Amino acid sequence: MSQRVQIFDTTLRDGEQVPGSQLTTEEKIIVATQLEKLGVDVIEAGFPISSPGDFRSVMEISKAVREPIICALSRAVTGDIDAAGDALQFAKRGRIHTGIGSSDIHIQHKFNTTREKIIERAIAATKYAKTKVEDVEFYCEDAGRADLVFLAQLVEAVIAAGATVVNIPDTTGYCLPEEYGAKIKYIFENVKGIHNATISIHCHNDLGLATANSLAGIREGARQVEVTMNGIGERAGNTSLEEVVMALNVHKELGYETGVNSQLIYPTSQLVSKMMRMPVQANKAIVGRNAFAHSSGIHQDGFLKNTLNYEIMNPQDVGVDKSDIVLTARSGRHALKHRLELLGFTFEKAILDDLYKKFLDVADLKKEVNDKDLVDLARTVVIA
């Protein structure tokens, strides 16, 4: 039986921190509604204390979206927690996500305090948040660089104080997968009461390892993963929702599942890209323009013989209509023959060989050959 992994989407909070990608409340509601259709378990709707607009967005999303848990971010500060609780007053299921730094770097250089004081503040924040909502998630910021023994003490303290979820973020994207997985494993083995809370993971992509680290965390016991659509977020971004979901879908032998309707991944990606004015890079896994495109002659030949040769998932599984055979100077005869037949042209081998030479001349000039170019080429043969 598969184990369920909760999908915590922070596109509207961490994702929206990208410069130039801010959304209005109305736009946030559109994205949140789509995320609800997608099937995410938690929507982190914003940071209410940060601005009146963000407060209003969390409140209005709480009214508009009913199935996912609606989460509001706060620091371990009474005023932040008050604002989060007030913004969530209309949520069917609300969660406050509060926390504080856990690495010595943050403790010394951001908070100018001690480990002991950090634990005191963490306990106080958790207990106060529990007076506002039942569901409290505590984040141990910069856990990726935190001392393991202290991190375990902090996690144990907030669980005892009532935290229902504890987030172990690799805030700076520092960890290697084996290191991050070992950190999660250590927490499970050394924290009293660990099974009274869900362990969550939140990885940044500064070294391009966010998805790998998240998967490592899941395999060591984490059952909530914090993600954004298209991997958007601070600096180099966050773990991509689409990458984690499809990694678990493709590798069914791992025994994990999510509640995401994968066929809505691509439409959701496009909506987020358009509304947040952030183009998706062409070679982005799962949702990039080239994710299901084949242009090498060797690959095209193998793909046309059997798609399994070069595709590990069906494009339709993520909401993409079909794979593409892109005709370039790297394409072979098989791809040319295939495309011509789709256009209604069939030629004997000798004629096709001659046509292929002409095709390469066009491809060298145009870089990519479209259907009109092929029709023009085919007609020169037919007319002749």
Side-chain angles (χ1 to χ4, degrees):
M1 183 177 177
S2 294
Q3 299 185 64
R4 177 69 182 270
V5 175
Q6 303 285 310
I7 299 297
F8 176 115
D9 185 277
T10 184
T11 299
L12 296 176
R13 200 279 300 170
D14 205 330
E16 205 216 9
Q17 292 176 194
V18 177
S21 296
Q22 284 66 46
L23 299 172
T24 65
T25 295
E26 291 70 25
E27 289 171 331
K28 281 193 170 188
I29 291 171
I30 292 171
V31 174
T33 301
Q34 180 64 23
L35 291 172
E36 180 178 34
K37 293 176 184 175
L38 182 64
V40 305
D41 299 286
V42 185
I43 295 175
E44 189 167 44
F47 183 15
I49 196 68
S50 66
S51 73
D54 229 31
F55 182 96
R56 177 171 175 262
S57 291
V58 174
M59 180 176 287
E60 294 304 322
I61 289 171
S62 297
K63 296 175 184 176
V65 175
R66 308 309 290 169
E67 289 305 315
I69 294 168
I70 304 302
C71 182
L73 184 73
S74 82
R75 295 164 296 183
V77 176
T78 300
D80 283 30
I81 295 169
D82 286 337
D86 290 344
L88 291 169
Q89 62 184 288
F90 297 107
K92 181 180 177 182
R93 292 185 295 160
R95 176 186 294 177
I96 291 177
H97 189 190
T98 191
I100 200 166
S102 63
S103 70
D104 286 333
I105 295 172
H106 277 218
I107 292 169
Q108 295 169 19
H109 301 295
K110 181 176 177 181
F111 295 98
N112 190 29
T113 189
T114 65
R115 290 181 176 183
E116 291 73 23
K117 292 292 184 182
I118 286 292
I119 290 180
E120 288 178 13
R121 289 180 63 179
I123 292 171
T126 302
K127 288 183 175 180
Y128 189 62
K130 290 288 281 190
T131 68
K132 305 293 181 179
V133 294
E134 179 58 33
D135 189 2
V136 173
E137 177 171 345
F138 187 91
Y139 62 83
C140 307
E141 188 177 16
D142 202 26
R145 296 186 293 176
D147 174 75
L148 265 178
V149 174
F150 173 70
L151 180 62
Q153 292 171 350
L154 180 59
V155 172
E156 186 171 310
V158 296
I159 291 176
T164 49
V165 182
V166 181
N167 177 13
I168 312 297
D170 183 21
T171 306
T172 59
Y174 173 79
C175 290
L176 299 174
E178 59 270 26
E179 178 185 11
Y180 188 71
K183 193 176 291 282
I184 301 300
K185 182 179 181 181
Y186 181 90
I187 288 169
F188 271 95
E189 292 177 346
N190 291 276
V191 170
K192 182 181 178 181
I194 187 67
H195 297 293
N196 294 327
T198 298
I199 296 301
S200 183
I201 47 184
H202 178 119
C203 298
H204 279 259
N205 206 37
D206 297 69
L207 293 176
L209 296 170
T211 297
N213 284 338
S214 294
L215 292 172
I218 290 169
R219 298 185 75 174
E220 294 297 345
R223 289 297 174 266
Q224 178 178 280
V225 57
E226 307 193 2
V227 295
T228 61
M229 203 68 232
N230 302 332
I232 61 174
E234 280 279 349
R235 304 182 313 278
N238 291 355
T239 304
S240 296
L241 178 151
E242 61 274 13
E243 293 177 11
V244 169
V245 168
M246 292 313 295
L248 298 181
N249 281 5
V250 169
H251 287 281
K252 296 187 186 301
E253 75 279 3
L254 294 177
Y256 304 110
E257 64 180 12
T258 71
V260 169
N261 177 355
S262 67
Q263 293 181 346
L264 293 179
I265 285 177
Y266 185 71
T268 306
S269 166
Q270 291 295 292
L271 175 69
V272 169
S273 174
K274 178 181 178 182
M275 299 201 75
M276 300 187 80
R277 300 166 295 281
M278 283 196 69
V280 178
Q281 66 191 65
N283 66 329
K284 173 72 178 66
I286 318 298
V287 294
R289 185 180 70 246
N290 293 341
F292 296 96
H294 307 271
S295 64
S296 159
I298 294 172
H299 285 226
Q300 290 172 339
D301 178 64
F303 171 80
L304 290 169
K305 289 173 177 173
N306 189 318
T307 58
L308 291 175
N309 282 320
Y310 287 102
E311 286 188 352
I312 59 172
M313 67 193 96
N314 294 321
Q316 293 83 6
D317 289 345
V318 299
V320 175
D321 290 338
K322 60 182 179 62
S323 300
D324 286 329
I325 296 291
V326 182
L327 296 179
T328 71
R330 307 286 83 77
S331 299
R333 288 172 176 78
H334 194 170
L336 177 62
K337 179 175 181 289
H338 171 75
R339 182 64 68 82
L340 286 169
E341 288 175 351
L342 289 178
L343 294 171
F345 298 98
T346 303
F347 299 104
E348 295 179 357
K349 183 178 182 303
I351 296 176
L352 184 66
D353 287 345
D354 182 59
L355 195 60
Y356 180 65
K357 295 176 184 177
K358 296 178 181 178
F359 160 78
L360 290 178
D361 290 337
V362 174
D364 278 333
L365 288 173
K366 295 198 65 175
K367 308 305 179 188
E368 185 175 327
V369 179
N370 59 37
D371 287 350
K372 182 180 181 302
D373 298 323
L374 289 182
V375 170
D376 291 342
L377 276 174
R379 283 175 176 167
T380 64
V381 175
V382 173
I383 293 171

